[in-house]
Amino acid sequence: MKISFEIKDKDIAGRIGKLEIENEHNGTKKCIETPALMPVYNVNNPVVSIEELKDKFNTKILMTNAYILLKSHKEKVIEEGIHKFLNFDGIIAVDSGSYQLMEYGSIDISNKEILKFEESIKAEIGSFLDIPTLPDAYKKIADENLTETLKRAKEAKELNLNLIINAAIQGGTFIDLRAKAAKEISKNFELNAIGGIVRLMEEYRFDELINIIVNVKKNIKASNVVHAFGLGHPMIFGLAVALGCDIFDSAAYALFAKDKRYITNYGTKKISELEYLPCSCPVCHNKNPNDLDEHDIALHNLYVSYEEIRKVKQAIKENNLWEYIEMRAISHPNLYKAVKALKKHRKFLSQFDPITKRSAFFDFGFDIRTEIYNVKKRIKNVNVGKDDFVKVGIFGNVPKQILDMYPFNAFGIKSDASDEEKIKTIMQYQFGKDADKILDKFNLIIKRSKNTKRIRWIYDSKTKELIASVRAQDHFIIPHKKLGEELHKFFKFPKLRVVISDEAVPFVKEGRNVFAKFITNIDKNLRAGEECLVVDKQDNLIATGTLLLAPIECMSFKRGVAVRVRK
Ligand SMILES: [Zn+2]
């Protein structure tokens, strides 16, 4: 089995991804879009049937338990294969029995046996028998568990099975252990599961949860697929996606239904507490709380879980994931606290976050936002008078010359700066210190759009050449050929550069986009969404374009477009 993953769209450290699993043995390819929900199907006690998962939810990936299959259906499932056995031809992930191990203290099967069984039933994704550590365990125990888990991970790797291993990263709430686990696991496995976090979710210990996720992300490859193991509550999906989680499994929909607990995307209610149903899903729309049985509640719980995944994906598409998280944050004080605590991770997250967004910036007063970090760093490059600064919401002092740009343009503050002052200051803000000096070579003519009355084009009157345009939506400067050449001359390597391998040069010269796998080096101060210079290894300028990924992603991903080249 071969896994490949690429980013289709992004916001903060969240991504809409294309995850493909290829079975090299029979040539089949299965593909899902992430973030994805992976419902857990209990073979012996299914609350929601496979047919319902397919028909009602269009489920393309699910998880089931290999240990249960082994104990109660071994021969049949080996003979038929898991897909026929379940009548499901999507991606099937199997859990190893770690849960049973945690519940009962021991199980009668070895790591090797369960892994070989997982391969024999032809699941796409398997798990080794990791040892989960509960959040409040002593460090000594967490450490011992982790040592054993890493030993089993190594064994799984060495077996070289036809199976994608969903490799668990354990370590309890101890950040150093998590970091060690993440580094070790990330080296050998492309699908990484953050394990041992269910209790934190159930107890609403969201700040500890995000600390673990961020720490794992800091220590794994950016291109690894991240499974938040057991994180099945929709109220946390937005936040977890923003930190870079890609897959969520949900046993919660069924477990909660068993206790008559009704999931909403802002928390959980006991069905007996409800006078009205706050939902219009196909189950709830014409019913009262008393009408709902376990099966109904399980279906409803799944409807809201899938719905939340779609909403989060739409927020990524619109680039307003921050606003979405902030909105969710006020549904529970612990979530609010956790979101506020993201401030300490702002620097880390800012390297992933696009520099400009499709939606206007909404300031709800949260000082956590990655834009604050990125913006303040750039304002330092700008050379303007002391009196030119105006207060702009959570950003504090901002030069009046750049108020038309994202994110400041959302604040509606008028600027009396001249067009030339604006363009010169945007050059410094966008490309770096003294970048305005490049414009001294030209006889600038700045033209405004007839429709919007905003600055739109920059010409050189000497040559009548259009040297740059200014994007209406965010007021970023888009350099055309001549300005690209001057930027390349003015700034020394590697500033603004994306370096590509020789084999990609002829294609990019023809105007083809740059794929991540051809990038050999990149200016790490660039941000997704900004204009960059594509160069070869000798620093010859090949093209200009828009960077679509963060530098750290460019250096890690083997698939997908990284620079949209300007024709
Ligand atoms: Zn409902």
Side-chain angles (χ1 to χ4, degrees):
M1 300 276 178
K2 210 176 96 188
I3 189 168
S4 56
F5 187 48
E6 67 179 271
I7 294 180
K8 290 294 191 186
D9 221 321
K10 57 188 264 96
D11 200 13
I12 321 179
R15 56 252 184 131
I16 291 180
K18 184 182 164 196
L19 172 64
E20 191 181 83
I21 293 180
E22 185 184 352
N23 186 344
E24 289 149 312
H25 286 204
N26 62 17
T28 56
K29 278 185 189 174
K30 294 180 185 178
C31 194
I32 56 162
E33 189 176 84
T34 62
L37 184 73
M38 181 162 74
V40 173
Y41 179 76
N42 183 337
V43 182
N44 289 344
N45 186 19
V47 188
V48 173
S49 71
I50 294 281
E51 274 56 47
E52 285 174 311
L53 288 175
K54 291 193 288 194
D55 296 346
K56 295 188 195 313
F57 304 101
N58 198 19
T59 299
K60 300 258 190 266
I61 180 168
L62 61 76
M63 189 158 92
T64 189
N65 189 295
Y67 182 72
I68 295 173
L69 288 168
L70 179 82
K71 284 289 151 196
S72 34
H73 308 278
K74 187 177 174 186
E75 279 73 31
K76 188 153 190 260
V77 73
I78 290 177
E79 188 197 320
E80 293 186 348
I82 183 78
H83 295 90
K84 187 174 174 215
F85 179 79
L86 292 182
N87 188 25
F88 182 77
D89 60 8
I91 297 171
I92 298 179
V94 287
D95 187 8
S96 61
S98 295
Y99 176 79
Q100 284 75 12
L101 187 67
M102 195 171 66
E103 288 288 293
Y104 314 126
S106 68
I107 53 171
D108 52 352
I109 186 159
S110 73
N111 184 42
K112 211 175 196 171
E113 282 171 288
I114 196 78
L115 281 161
K116 287 199 162 167
F117 173 70
E118 290 169 4
E119 185 192 41
S120 71
I121 62 174
K122 301 189 174 64
E124 279 87 8
I125 300 174
S127 313
F128 52 79
L129 197 59
D130 62 306
I131 321 267
T133 302
L134 288 174
D136 298 309
Y138 289 108
K139 188 164 187 181
K140 185 171 178 289
I141 294 169
D143 203 358
E144 281 167 12
N145 287 349
L146 179 60
T147 304
E148 183 59 26
T149 296
L150 293 177
K151 213 167 94 189
R152 294 178 181 194
K154 192 162 169 264
E155 187 175 44
K157 177 76 186 167
E158 284 165 1
L159 283 171
N160 198 20
L161 304 166
N162 188 32
L163 201 60
I164 303 291
I165 302 288
N166 188 15
I169 293 171
Q170 296 291 353
T173 41
F174 303 101
I175 293 309
D176 55 335
L177 296 183
R178 287 279 181 182
K180 177 184 162 193
K183 274 188 199 132
E184 191 82 9
I185 292 292
S186 162
K187 267 193 298 191
N188 289 324
F189 304 96
E190 290 158 288
L191 172 57
N192 303 159
I194 306 177
I197 53 177
V198 177
R199 183 74 63 86
L200 296 176
M201 175 189 81
E202 286 170 351
E203 293 175 358
Y204 284 34
R205 291 158 68 177
F206 301 128
D207 50 348
E208 292 169 80
L209 181 63
I210 64 164
N211 270 340
I212 290 172
I213 298 174
V214 171
N215 247 284
V216 166
K217 283 293 286 188
K218 279 183 180 168
N219 290 289
I220 63 173
K221 290 180 203 146
S223 56
N224 282 7
V225 182
V226 179
H227 169 204
F229 216 129
L231 211 64
H233 201 299
M235 72 187 288
I236 194 88
F237 288 169
L239 183 54
V241 167
L243 302 178
C245 293
D246 305 297
I247 298 177
F248 302 88
D249 66 287
S250 173
Y253 78 93
L255 295 173
F256 282 37
K258 197 169 267 175
D259 297 340
K260 295 274 173 107
R261 281 187 292 164
Y262 182 92
I263 293 176
T264 75
N265 41 29
Y266 49 87
T268 311
K269 303 275 177 198
K270 277 220 166 274
I271 197 82
S272 56
E273 292 167 359
L274 289 174
E275 197 74 28
Y276 307 98
L277 288 177
C279 175
S280 299
C281 80
V283 175
C284 301
H285 80 280
N286 57 359
K287 293 212 177 78
N288 292 310
N290 292 334
D291 302 333
L292 303 187
D293 61 17
E294 180 184 345
H295 176 245
D296 291 331
I297 299 172
L299 284 178
H300 156 83
N301 288 348
L302 268 179
Y303 275 115
V304 291
S305 302
Y306 274 104
E307 177 189 286
E308 187 66 8
I309 293 282
R310 290 194 300 275
K311 285 180 170 169
V312 171
K313 289 207 283 200
Q314 183 60 26
I316 295 177
K317 280 278 173 204
E318 291 176 15
N319 285 157
N320 55 19
L321 190 53
W322 268 128
E323 282 82 358
Y324 194 78
I325 292 168
E326 289 167 356
M327 185 183 78
R328 281 276 169 268
I330 52 172
S331 61
H332 194 281
N334 288 10
L335 195 56
Y336 183 79
K337 204 172 108 197
V339 170
K340 291 287 277 183
L342 281 177
K343 191 173 174 182
K344 61 175 182 278
H345 304 300
R346 198 165 66 186
K347 185 178 173 191
F348 171 71
L349 294 172
S350 70
Q351 64 182 320
F352 293 93
D353 198 31
I355 195 77
T356 178
K357 310 239 171 151
R358 293 182 198 107
S359 295
F361 187 98
F362 285 180
D363 179 10
F364 295 121
F366 283 83
D367 59 356
I368 53 173
R369 293 193 52 162
T370 31
E371 285 92 340
I372 300 175
Y373 185 85
N374 283 333
V375 155
K376 287 203 166 154
K377 214 170 152 194
R378 277 157 194 257
I379 289 178
K380 286 190 187 140
N381 293 331
V382 169
N383 182 18
V384 291
K386 260 195 183 139
D387 300 337
D388 288 334
F389 285 92
V390 288
K391 281 249 181 296
V392 181
I394 53 172
F395 296 105
N397 290 327
V398 174
K400 65 180 183 183
Q401 293 86 345
I402 59 172
L403 292 176
D404 294 329
M405 298 184 81
Y406 178 88
F408 320 115
N409 52 3
F411 293 79
I413 305 168
K414 290 272 172 289
S415 166
D416 58 3
S418 72
D419 287 359
E420 188 166 331
E421 278 180 307
K422 284 182 180 175
I423 291 301
K424 288 192 161 172
T425 314
I426 293 172
M427 284 290 286
Q428 300 167 43
Y429 176 84
Q430 195 178 329
F431 299 113
K433 242 187 190 118
D434 298 330
D436 56 313
K437 299 208 165 52
I438 296 171
L439 299 178
D440 294 343
K441 295 197 162 186
F442 303 107
N443 264 349
L444 289 189
I445 297 183
I446 299 167
K447 289 200 170 171
R448 287 176 171 255
S449 154
K450 280 198 180 109
N451 295 331
T452 63
K453 311 272 183 285
R454 298 164 63 115
I455 299 175
R456 194 71 183 86
W457 295 283
I458 307 168
Y459 288 92
D460 177 19
S461 72
K462 276 187 278 187
T463 59
K464 306 234 169 355
E465 195 178 342
L466 179 64
I467 60 166
S469 46
V470 177
R471 196 156 47 207
Q473 153 215 344
D474 60 6
H475 244 63
F476 273 62
I477 292 175
I478 313 296
H480 289 225
K481 191 165 181 285
K482 188 69 194 158
L483 186 58
E485 286 165 6
E486 294 300 332
L487 282 164
H488 181 252
K489 265 189 240 167
F490 187 82
F491 287 112
K492 295 280 163 285
F493 183 88
K495 187 152 174 58
L496 303 179
R497 266 75 159 182
V498 175
V499 186
I500 57 171
S501 63
D502 292 341
E503 55 179 320
V505 169
F507 298 101
V508 176
K509 271 189 176 154
E510 277 173 21
R512 305 265 279 274
N513 292 330
V514 175
F515 283 82
K517 69 172 169 183
F518 295 116
I519 296 178
T520 59
N521 198 1
I522 185 167
D523 171 9
K524 63 176 177 203
N525 290 312
L526 283 169
R527 289 290 175 267
E530 76 179 327
E531 299 306 302
C532 62
L533 306 171
V534 181
V535 299
D536 66 12
K537 280 182 185 154
Q538 287 76 40
D539 196 29
N540 298 305
L541 181 65
I542 308 297
T544 61
T546 309
L547 186 63
L548 302 181
L549 304 181
I552 189 176
E553 292 162 344
C554 288
M555 296 305 288
S556 174
F557 275 83
K558 298 275 174 283
R559 282 255 206 160
V561 177
V563 182
R564 194 170 54 231
V565 166
R566 212 156 290 286
K567 303 277 190 297

